[in-house]
Amino acid sequence: MRSVIDILDFTVKELDELIDTALDIIDNPKKYAHICDGKKLATLFFEPSTRTRLSFEAAMYELGGNVLGFSESNSSSAAKGESIADTAKTVSCYADIIAMRHPKEGAALVAANNASVPVINAGDGGHCHPTQTLADLLTIRREKGRFNNLTVGFCGDLKFGRTVHSLINALSRYNNIKIVLISPEELKLPSYVKKDVLQKNNIPYEQTTDLEAAMPNLDMLYMTRVQRERFFNEEDYLRLKDSYILTPDKLKNAKADLSILHPLPRVNEISVAIDSDPRACYFKQVLNGKYMRMALILKLLKEAGTI
Amino acid sequence: MNIDSIQNGVVIDHITAGLGMHLYELLDLASLDASIALIKNVNSKKMGKKDIIKIDADIDLNLDVIGFVDPDATVNIIKDGVLVEKRSIDMPQTLTNVIKCKNPRCITSSEQELDHIFKLTDKEGKVYRCIYCETKA
Ligand SMILES: [Zn+2]
């Protein structure tokens, strides 16, 4: 039974196929509207993430399928102490595929090891969130038309941002990618990601604290939030936070075809004044996330022989 | 120093000096009734100093544990006072319930019945990672 825990569970070829499916869904929605008739997706959300859950549910509905599940662990059997293994076995009796969100790292793998239907990791703590990366990749493909010859800036919290690590991992497999890491000293990309991903794959990268200085070279800018609780003291946070808030002013020297991405939800790290800029892609990214989840559900159900 | 030679049992030799006690603990040798000698800092022509563990009992040791702690160690099986077999030691691909994941955010910290499984991800660097959260051992 094929499940998806990490974006690296897919080969580059498989990612290309998923993207091709998503593009076909976008062009021919009717062709897919009943492909999952009578099939059920279980959304097991042991911690709330309304955005991700709605995206999975919308994806399944648009394929003609149905959805069941829970949206926080208080209302689930987990609150009574049931193990993930037992939950996965039980839900496998009701649903054809599972999307699971859990605050602990590795929880999705435990579910996948025990379920008799495919499991999609919808986020396991700070570990992986592969469908966010799928959304990011489709956005890059649609906006740029390619995955090679790109200079990609990552800005904000690069230390704890799992979406950043995951996308860097995914991009490291393409040709002629340059990475620019823009963050305060306190939130730099962990050295193991630099060593195991960037250096290992010979990806050129530079680190800077200056977003404006890095801007002119970027084809793509992936923004993340600098969170107050990541700092030891309030002064450092207040001193630094504005440097990593994207405002029209900071885009002065940006390329005309820059693409600005953000995994959302946004708090204040991208000024709303940017929303109307054609370079803002973060709401398109949300929509792309739904299409990629549709493509992923289709792929896994087909491989399982369910459809 | 004189340690009796053993009749039937196992001698783990050529243990990198300093790792003997760690190996003793991970093999849970304290739970055995047999007489066991842990000899530290023995002079060795090859290694300078080494540790040795002698177990006077015919038991099956978990060779994966030895391979994890010190793949350079050797295992000698003794029968009737004679060396009958030398087992070669290699780093195991997976380690199950030998060590525990220390990451408090790992699912193994909240699901008590889960096996703690580590996979060898980098043989040169001797890196083992938890299969759930990928934290280094
Ligand atoms: Zn772990």
Side-chain angles (χ1 to χ4, degrees), chain A residues 64-232:
Chain A
N66 290 301
V67 176
L68 63 162
F70 54 84
S71 55
E72 53 177 327
S73 58
N74 293 347
S75 59
S76 77
S77 49
K80 297 177 193 139
E82 186 178 60
S83 68
I84 291 175
D86 285 3
T87 303
K89 285 174 189 160
T90 306
V91 173
S92 295
C93 300
Y94 303 135
D96 301 287
I97 186 165
I98 293 170
M100 183 170 121
R101 173 87 157 208
H102 196 285
K104 290 279 184 170
E105 300 174 15
L109 179 63
V110 176
N113 286 344
N114 288 282
S116 52
V117 299
V119 174
I120 301 171
N121 184 4
D124 59 341
H127 182 223
C128 294
H129 190 8
T131 56
Q132 177 63 52
T133 308
L134 291 177
D136 300 342
L137 290 173
L138 180 59
T139 306
I140 297 170
R141 171 72 178 271
R142 292 184 79 188
E143 298 303 318
K144 296 293 169 208
R146 65 181 193 274
F147 287 118
N148 41 28
N149 307 316
L150 289 172
T151 299
V152 182
F154 288 88
C155 177
D157 180 355
L158 309 188
K159 187 174 181 184
F160 299 97
R162 66 180 168 189
T163 55
V164 169
H165 304 173
S166 181
L167 184 55
I168 287 176
N169 252 309
L171 288 174
S172 71
R173 301 193 290 183
Y174 296 97
N175 292 324
N176 203 10
I177 295 286
K178 290 196 191 88
I179 304 278
V180 184
L181 304 165
I182 309 150
S183 74
E185 286 295 328
E186 292 86 341
L187 298 175
K188 276 160 70 175
L189 192 74
S191 54
Y192 70 87
V193 182
K194 281 182 249 172
K195 182 168 164 283
D196 294 351
V197 183
L198 294 174
Q199 289 163 19
K200 193 171 151 195
N201 293 292
N202 295 315
I203 307 283
Y205 69 94
E206 55 183 276
Q207 298 191 96
T208 173
T209 55
D210 191 340
L211 174 59
E212 276 180 277
M215 194 66 84
N217 294 321
L218 303 180
D219 297 308
M220 203 187 104
L221 173 60
Y222 198 95
M223 291 293 300
T224 61
R225 182 153 43 107
V226 171
Q227 287 169 283
R228 187 181 298 249
E229 56 268 31
R230 302 295 191 206
F231 286 85
F232 291 117

